[in-house]
C-alpha cells in the first residue's frame, strides 16, 4: 500500500448507491506482493466520506428494516448468485492483490456464498419469545436491528470476509458501512459494483481507506452503534477505546491467535506431521488466524515429527501465486514481511533451533517482492517469544512435552485463545483435552475447517463474540420486551 497517485486502473468505492472516488480525490495504490509492481488504486476515504456513507445508511435504515426478513434474505441470495458469476475474475484479482495462492483462493468465493446462503436461510430465526411472567398480562420480546452497522476487516481474505460478513447484519435488518483493509483492497470494488446493482442506495456502503482515517471515523461515528471487527489485538483494543469516546456501542472482535496443535503419544506420527503442515495454511503464507503455529509434541514422537514436518515444509514449492502448482506465495506487504522477519530474529535470539527456511528463497524471481521461506523452529520453549506471540506468517515452532500435568499450563499459558487442534485416539484423553484447552474453536483429530452453523470466535485476547453461526445473526439485533396488560382478566 502506498498513497502516491499514478495513472493506474481505478477501483471505486460505494457511497449512497454511487460508485465513486473519495471526496478529497486521493488514492491508495495497491502493489502486487510478488513483484512490488502497482496493480490498481482505491479511493483513500476520509472522515468526510465516512460521514456521507453513514448519513445514507441512516436514511436507508428505516425502509430496509421495514421490509420482511425473507425479502432481505432474497436480496442477499441474489448478491451471492452474482458473486458466483464473477468468481473467475475475483479469483485472479485476489491472488494478484493478496499473494495468496490460486490453489487455496479458489474456494474463497464459494466460502462466502455458502455463508450468505446460510444466513439467508436463517431469516425466520430472527424471533423473540413469550414469557409467562404474570397471570394477567402478555409478555413477549421482539428482535430489532441496531440501524447502521460498521464492519472493519483484515487483509488476508478480502472478498470472502467482505461478502460473507455483509449477510448477517443485512438479513437482521441493518444497513452496513464496510471498510476493507487498505492492504489488498481491490476485490472489494467488485463487491461494491454488485451491491450497487442489488441493494437500494445506502443499504450497503463500502468505504476504502486507512484504518487511521476511514476506520477511526467509522468507529467514532455516533450513529454507528454496532461495530464488528476482524483484525489484530492491538487494533481491536484501540477500536474499543475509540468507540467509547462518542457513544455506547456493541463491539464484537475477531482477533489473532497463537493456536496450539497438541500431539499425544498414541497419535500416528505420519498423520500428525502431514496435518500440522496443512494446518499452517502455507497456501496463504500462514496468514490465517486459525493456523496452529505452536506444535506441541509428546517426547515419544518428537524427533520423528520434527524430521517429517521439516521434510514436508522444505518441499513446499514457493513461487508465483497464480501458478497452479505453487504451494506458497509472497507475504502480503513490505510492512508485514518486516514484522514476520522480526519474529524470526526473536526466535534466533531466544535460542530456538532453526530446522528449515528462515530466509528469502533463492532465485531471480524472488529478487523483488515480499518473500520468505516456510520456516520451522524446533526446541521452542514457553519462555520464548515465538511460543507466545502471533506471527501471522509461515513460521511454525515445535515444542517437546512429557508430562500431562505440565501440558495444559503450557498450552493455556499464552494470552490468546482462538483455535486448538488435539490429536489422540484415546476418547477419554480427547474429551478431557477439549475441556482443558482455553480456545473458542477446537478440532479433535482435525484442523483448519470451518463449518457453517458452528460459532467461530476466540476467548481471552482472541476476541469477543462469534461468527458463522446463529449467534452472529442474533448479535446484530437488540431485544425489546413488550408487556401487555389485559385488564379484563
Ligand atoms: P489490523 O488490525 O492491522 O487491521 C485490520 C483492519 O483494521 C484494517 O482494515 C485496518 O485498516 C483497520 N484499522 C487499523 N487501525 C484502525 C483504527 N485505529 N480504527 C479503525 N480501524 C483501524 O490487522 P491485519 O494486519 O489486517 O490482519 C491481521 C490480523 O487479523 C491478525 O492478528 C489475524 O489473526 C487477525 N484475523 C483474525 C480473524 C478471526 O476471525 N479471528 C480472521 C482474520 C484475521
Amino acid at each position: 500500500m502506498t498513497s502516491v497517485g499514478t495513472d493506474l486502473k481505478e477501483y471505486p468505492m460505494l457511497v449512497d448507491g454511487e460508485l465513486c472516488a473519495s471526496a478529497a480525490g486521493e488514492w491508495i495504490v495497491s502493489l502486487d506482493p510478488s513483484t512490488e509492481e502497482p496493480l490498481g488504486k482505491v479511493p483513500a476515504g476520509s472522515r468526510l466520506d465516512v460521514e456521507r456513507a453513514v448519513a445514507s445508511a441512516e436514511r436507508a435504515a428505516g425502509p430496509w428494516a421495514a421490509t420482511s426478513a425473507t425479502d432481505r434474505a432474497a436480496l442477499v441470495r441474489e448478491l451471492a448468485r452474482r458473486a458466483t458469476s464473477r468468481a473467475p475474475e475475483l479469483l485472479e484479482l485476489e491472488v494478484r492483490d493478496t499473494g495468496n495462492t490460486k490453489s487455496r483462493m479458489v474456494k474463497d468465493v464459494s466460502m462466502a456464498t455458502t455463508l450468505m446462503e446460510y444466513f439467508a436461510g436463517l431469516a425466520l430465526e430472527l424471533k423473540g419469545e413469550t414469557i409467562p411472567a404474570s397471570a394477567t398480562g402478555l409478555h413477549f420480546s421482539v428482535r430489532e436491528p441496531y440501524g447502521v452497522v460498521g464492519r472493519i476487516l483484515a487483509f488476508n481474505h478480502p472478498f470472502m470476509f467482505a461478502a460473507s460478513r455483509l449477510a448477517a447484519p443485512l438479513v437482521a435488518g441493518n444497513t452496513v458501512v464496510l471498510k476493507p483493509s487498505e492492504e489488498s483492497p481491490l476485490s472489494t470494488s467488485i463487491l461494491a459494483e454488485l451491491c450497487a446493482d442489488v441493494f437500494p442506495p445506502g443499504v450497503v456502503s463500502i468505504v476504502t481507506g486507512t484504518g487511521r482515517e476511514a476506520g477511526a471515523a467509522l468507529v467514532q461515528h455516533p450513529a454507528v452503534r454496532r461495530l464488528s471487527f476482524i483484525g489484530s489485538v492491538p487494533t481491536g483494543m484501540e477500536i474499543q477505546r475509540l468507540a467509547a469516546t462518542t457513544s455506547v456501542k456493541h463491539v464484537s472482535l475477531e482477533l489473532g491467535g497463537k493456536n496450539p496443535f497438541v500431539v499425544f503419544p498414541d497419535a500416528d506420527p505420519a498423520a500428525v506431521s502431514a496435518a500440522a503442515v496443512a494446518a499452517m495454511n502455507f497456501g496463504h503464507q500462514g496468514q490465517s488466524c486459525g493456523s496452529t503455529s505452536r506444535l506441541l509434541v509428546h517426547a515419544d514422537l518428537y524427533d520423528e515429527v520434527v524430521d517429517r514436518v521439516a521434510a514436508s515444509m522444505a518441499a513446499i514449492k514457493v513461487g508465483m501465486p497464480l501458478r497452479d502448482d505453487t504451494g506458497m506465495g509472497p507475504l502480503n506487504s513490505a510492512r508485514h514481511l518486516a514484522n514476520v522477519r522480526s519474529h524470526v530474529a526473536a526466535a534466533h535470539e531466544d535460542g530456538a533451533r532453526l530446522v528449515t527456511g528462515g530466509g528469502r528463497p533463492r532465485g531471480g524471481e524472488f529478487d523483488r517482492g515480499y518473500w520468505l521461506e516456510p520456516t520451522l523452529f524446533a526446541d521452542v520453549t514457553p519462555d520464548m517469544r515465538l511460543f507466545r506471540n502471533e506471527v501471522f506468517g509461515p513460521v511454525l515452532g515445535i515444542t517437546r512435552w512429557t508430562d500431562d500435568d505440565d501440558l495444559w499450563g503450557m498450552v493455556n499459558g499464552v494470552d490468546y485463545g482462538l483455535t486448538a487442534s488435539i490429536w489422540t485416539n484415546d476418547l477419554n484423553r480427547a474429551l478431557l483435552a477439549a475441556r482443558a484447552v482455553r480456545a473458542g474453536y477446537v478440532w479433535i483429530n482435525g484442523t483448519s475447517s470451518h463449518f457453517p452453523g458452528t460459532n467461530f470466535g476466540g476467548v481471552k485476547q482472541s476476541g469477543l463474540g462469534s461468527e458463522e453461526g446463529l449467534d452472529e445473526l442474533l448479535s446484530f439485533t437488540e431485544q425489546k420486551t413488550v408487556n401487555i396488560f389485559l385488564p379484563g382478566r
Side-chain angles (χ1 to χ4, degrees):
M1 190 277 293
T2 156
S3 50
V4 180
T6 69
D7 297 331
L8 282 170
K9 178 167 180 190
E10 295 175 0
Y11 289 82
M13 59 185 188
L14 174 65
V15 177
D16 199 12
E18 297 289 328
L19 295 168
C20 60
S22 69
E26 292 190 351
W27 297 89
I28 292 171
V29 175
S30 196
L31 303 181
D32 180 336
S34 310
T35 60
E36 302 176 45
E37 294 297 325
L39 276 177
K41 58 184 182 180
V42 295
S46 66
R47 193 166 287 271
L48 258 180
D49 299 295
V50 169
E51 278 167 9
R52 222 159 58 78
V54 174
S56 82
E58 281 187 280
R59 284 193 298 277
W64 180 247
T67 60
S68 74
T70 47
D71 284 351
R72 296 192 295 267
L75 290 191
V76 168
R77 284 202 180 94
E78 177 60 15
L79 178 64
R81 197 187 63 72
R82 292 185 189 216
T84 304
S85 73
R86 306 273 299 260
E89 178 192 354
L90 279 163
L91 174 62
E92 165 137 7
L93 187 60
E94 286 264 276
V95 170
R96 296 182 73 200
D97 202 19
T98 59
N100 295 342
T101 60
K102 185 175 163 189
S103 54
R104 290 302 302 271
M105 292 301 274
V106 76
K107 294 190 195 133
D108 270 37
V109 172
S110 69
M111 279 163 61
T113 56
T114 299
L115 278 171
M116 293 156 87
E117 295 282 352
Y118 167 71
F119 284 115
L122 285 183
L124 295 179
E125 294 303 316
L126 288 159
K127 57 196 181 194
E129 46 191 15
T130 56
I131 306 106
S134 74
T136 54
L138 179 59
H139 310 266
F140 64 92
S141 63
V142 287
R143 291 189 175 272
E144 296 182 341
Y146 279 86
V148 184
V149 165
R151 295 215 85 160
I152 298 177
L153 302 172
F155 71 77
N156 53 333
H157 294 278
F159 184 84
M160 190 275 285
F161 279 133
S164 64
R165 268 49 178 184
L166 285 176
L170 289 177
V171 171
N174 302 277
T175 55
V176 182
V177 178
L178 183 143
K179 195 204 85 64
S181 171
E182 59 271 46
E183 284 156 355
S184 316
L186 300 183
S187 63
T188 42
S189 186
I190 296 182
L191 183 64
E193 277 176 41
L194 298 173
C195 289
D197 288 342
V198 171
F199 298 108
V203 170
V204 175
S205 289
I206 298 179
V207 179
T208 47
T210 64
R212 214 179 40 251
E213 274 275 329
L218 184 57
V219 169
Q220 290 187 295
H221 199 299
V224 181
R225 288 202 44 254
R226 174 75 175 93
L227 284 162
S228 172
F229 172 70
I230 298 180
S232 64
V233 172
T235 311
M237 291 168 69
E238 174 68 359
I239 283 175
Q240 284 185 311
R241 194 186 68 75
L242 288 176
T245 58
T246 57
S247 57
V248 172
K249 294 172 194 269
H250 176 163
V251 181
S252 56
L253 303 170
E254 292 285 344
L255 307 177
K258 187 72 196 182
N259 308 308
F261 184 120
V262 181
V263 181
F264 282 94
D266 65 309
D268 170 9
V272 294
S273 302
V277 175
M280 275 298 292
N281 299 303
F282 286 108
H284 308 132
Q285 299 73 249
Q287 299 163 151
S288 246
C289 58
S291 298
T292 41
S293 57
R294 279 191 298 153
L295 177 53
L296 295 100
V297 185
H298 189 271
D300 290 356
L301 306 183
Y302 186 80
D303 292 334
E304 182 176 353
V305 171
V306 170
D307 289 348
R308 284 178 178 275
V309 169
S312 24
M313 282 177 60
I316 291 171
K317 189 168 165 38
V318 180
M320 292 300 151
L322 271 170
R323 279 193 213 128
D324 289 333
D325 62 344
T326 294
M328 190 176 114
L331 288 163
N332 184 261
S333 64
R335 168 195 77 94
H336 193 51
L337 175 63
N339 181 33
V340 172
R341 279 197 169 142
S342 74
H343 290 285
V344 171
H348 282 296
E349 280 166 27
D350 291 351
R353 174 165 63 92
L354 180 68
V355 185
T356 185
R360 182 181 273 269
R362 275 187 282 276
E365 67 182 334
F366 304 120
D367 286 349
R368 288 172 67 78
Y370 312 127
W371 301 96
L372 183 72
E373 295 167 311
T375 299
L376 177 67
F377 283 98
D379 306 342
V380 176
T381 52
D383 54 315
M384 294 180 185
R385 284 169 285 179
L386 186 62
F387 189 87
R388 298 193 309 269
N389 297 336
E390 182 185 42
V391 176
F392 206 59
V395 183
L396 175 61
I398 307 192
T399 301
R400 181 197 306 264
W401 66 274
T402 47
D403 185 346
D404 279 54
D405 291 339
D406 298 337
L407 175 66
W408 298 111
M410 284 162 75
V411 169
N412 294 329
V414 300
D415 292 337
Y416 296 101
L418 188 57
T419 70
S421 175
I422 314 281
W423 287 74
T424 176
N425 294 311
D426 176 332
L427 183 62
N428 283 339
R429 221 169 202 171
L431 292 174
L432 289 172
R435 183 184 285 178
V437 70
R438 293 271 290 130
Y441 206 77
V442 179
W443 300 283
I444 307 282
N445 298 329
T447 64
S448 307
S449 308
H450 290 218
F451 300 94
T454 60
N455 294 313
F456 184 89
V459 299
K460 301 201 284 183
Q461 290 291 90
S462 290
L464 284 176
S466 64
E467 300 192 334
E468 304 176 12
L470 180 61
D471 283 3
E472 180 182 348
L473 180 71
L474 300 184
S475 79
F476 289 103
T477 63
E478 296 184 293
Q479 290 204 60
K480 177 188 281 175
T481 302
V482 180
N483 300 286
I484 301 184
F485 294 88
L486 302 171
R489 290 191 63 195

